[in-house]
Amino acid sequence: MGRPVYDLGIGDPQEPTPEFIVAALKAAVPAVSQYPRSIGSRELRDAIAGYVERRFKVSLDPEREILPSAGAKEAIFHLPLLLIDPQADRRAVLFPDPGYAIYERGTAFAGGEPHPLLLRDEKGFLPELESLPAALLDRTALFWLCSPQNPTGAVAWRETLAKLAELSSRHGFVVAADECYADVYFDQPPPSMLEVSRSRVLVFHSLSKRSGMTGMRSGFMAGDPELIAALKRFRPSIGTASPDFVQAAATAAWGNDEHAEQRREIFRRKRQILRALMSDLRLRATGEAGLYLWVQVPGDDERYARELAERAGVVVQPGSFLGEGGRGYIRVALSPTVEQCEAAAAAWRRAEVSH
């Protein structure tokens, strides 16, 4: 006889997509399906500009500084193909470890030189900018920042962003800021890299978590007009653009902040349930914002995750799957419903996972 399985491993929230977004998508399905424009509709770019103005108090030109994408993943993967010359000395790519695997995979496909930056608990799981050698930064083409960070939940506040902008100006590398979790926060709203600079800066945003649109694949890039212009020339070759009816749904989503606050409250409730569980189990959980708890576990993280699945039916991601810096941690996603989180917490409490 089977038993329930609670998937806290993947960042794919189970709440329904807000009805007004679904309605906008349905209303835009055409009788004749045609290719979408890679630069996106003007209505979508205007909606994105409005969101950035409201959320970050940054004014962007919808024509020169914004480019929609088919979600963030493809845009993140493809960026190194534009920026990296595999024969050049300047081909180093710096990215967080633990972190999103696509930073390194995109680097590898482009022929770049990967340089994982170990994120340490004692440094707040932020890149240690002051310790980076000047010789490495002079060879750096691309610096990936993720804030709020996947998986640790660390936030790079304005002081860190300003330091990174100064290093970019001094050494000439591009800063790519993955800000896809910017609207999943529980206290102070995380800032954007655009608030300190847009010179040699691109930010990446997504509607996946903010608006429950993971399957619709919609996001955007914004920042330096020269980089956006280069991307406009590059991206038609790889054929990446959301269908027009998805762009209509995205236009509605970026234009509405109320649903994002409602979803944030749901994530807050899940977080409270799971943080209370970690406190009861005397497991240290970190994370200021984002969709995950980053939990330090006793012993080997893979073994802990395996035993938790076997004994409780609770699935989490071993931290070592996200890089060497993740060893000894697990990532716990706020993806199931509130009721499923409560049931998962009860099952986890009953489990006798070895220490």
Side-chain angles (χ1 to χ4, degrees):
M1 185 174 179
R3 65 174 180 179
V5 174
Y6 306 101
D7 188 355
L8 282 71
I10 187 170
D12 195 357
Q14 296 301 300
E15 285 71 35
T17 306
E19 179 54 38
F20 79 94
I21 296 174
V22 177
L25 182 142
K26 290 179 178 178
V29 174
V32 178
S33 178
Q34 296 183 299
Y35 292 121
R37 298 181 68 201
S38 61
I39 64 170
S41 70
R42 178 59 193 249
E43 292 79 9
L44 173 55
R45 286 179 278 122
D46 283 344
I48 292 168
Y51 160 75
V52 173
E53 175 71 41
R54 295 190 309 275
R55 174 66 176 80
F56 302 110
K57 304 297 185 287
V58 172
S59 179
L60 293 177
D61 181 346
E63 290 290 343
R64 300 174 59 248
E65 297 178 312
I66 295 173
L67 186 61
S69 61
K73 184 176 184 177
E74 63 85 2
I76 288 169
F77 176 83
H78 287 123
L79 182 64
L81 294 174
L82 175 69
L83 298 180
I84 301 296
D85 177 354
Q87 305 302 318
D89 290 336
R90 184 186 285 275
R91 60 188 184 90
V93 178
L94 281 55
F95 53 87
D97 178 355
Y100 190 34
I102 305 305
Y103 308 139
E104 183 170 15
R105 291 177 187 171
T107 300
F109 273 79
E113 181 183 303
H115 282 269
L117 302 179
L118 185 66
L119 305 180
R120 299 190 295 164
D121 190 358
E122 57 267 33
K123 295 295 185 179
F125 294 112
L126 292 172
E128 298 174 38
L129 301 178
E130 66 281 354
S131 67
L132 295 175
L136 172 60
L137 295 177
D138 285 339
R139 296 191 298 106
T140 296
L142 181 59
F143 190 115
W144 282 105
L145 178 74
C146 183
S147 176
Q149 211 258 337
N150 170 15
T152 70
V155 173
W157 300 104
R158 285 184 67 101
E159 181 181 2
T160 298
L161 300 181
K163 287 180 181 177
L164 184 54
E166 191 276 327
L167 288 175
S168 168
S169 177
R170 189 191 314 169
H171 296 278
F173 56 79
V174 170
V175 175
D178 178 351
E179 300 177 353
C180 290
Y181 299 92
D183 283 337
V184 183
Y185 60 87
F186 310 103
D187 190 9
Q188 184 178 352
S192 171
M193 190 71 196
L194 293 176
E195 294 180 47
V196 300
S197 177
R198 70 188 76 178
S199 176
R200 287 180 297 278
V201 166
L202 284 173
V203 301
F204 294 73
H205 283 252
S206 166
L207 287 168
S208 291
K209 279 70 176 181
R210 179 185 189 270
S211 301
M213 295 171 62
T214 54
M216 295 189 196
R217 312 313 302 140
S218 185
F220 70 84
M221 296 167 279
D224 190 310
E226 292 186 9
L227 290 173
I228 293 294
L231 284 163
K232 285 182 179 180
R233 295 190 296 270
F234 168 65
R235 286 174 63 79
S237 298
I238 53 179
T240 50
S242 296
D244 288 337
F245 50 86
V246 172
Q247 293 190 37
T251 301
W254 289 120
N256 179 289
D257 298 326
E258 181 180 358
H259 78 287
E261 174 56 36
Q262 293 169 350
R263 288 176 60 81
R264 195 156 44 245
E265 183 55 36
I266 292 171
F267 291 136
R268 183 177 286 110
R269 291 168 60 194
K270 298 181 193 181
R271 185 173 183 262
Q272 290 169 345
I273 292 166
L274 294 171
R275 285 190 69 90
L277 169 67
M278 301 311 155
S279 178
D280 291 347
L281 297 176
R282 297 185 179 179
L283 295 176
R284 183 168 182 271
T286 62
E288 297 177 84
L291 194 68
Y292 310 102
L293 294 184
W294 187 237
V295 181
Q296 191 171 20
V297 295
D300 180 78
D301 56 283
E302 289 191 50
R303 184 184 68 182
Y304 189 97
R306 182 173 60 251
E307 291 188 3
L308 182 60
E310 292 171 351
R311 296 171 185 267
V314 175
V315 177
V316 297
Q317 187 167 48
S320 55
F321 286 14
L322 296 160
E324 285 297 314
R327 293 197 179 279
Y329 293 84
I330 56 172
R331 190 187 77 171
V332 181
L334 309 179
S335 296
T337 64
V338 170
E339 294 74 20
Q340 289 169 340
C341 284
E342 290 173 336
W348 196 331
R349 280 190 178 93
R350 293 192 298 267
E352 295 181 4
V353 180
S354 62
H355 289 69

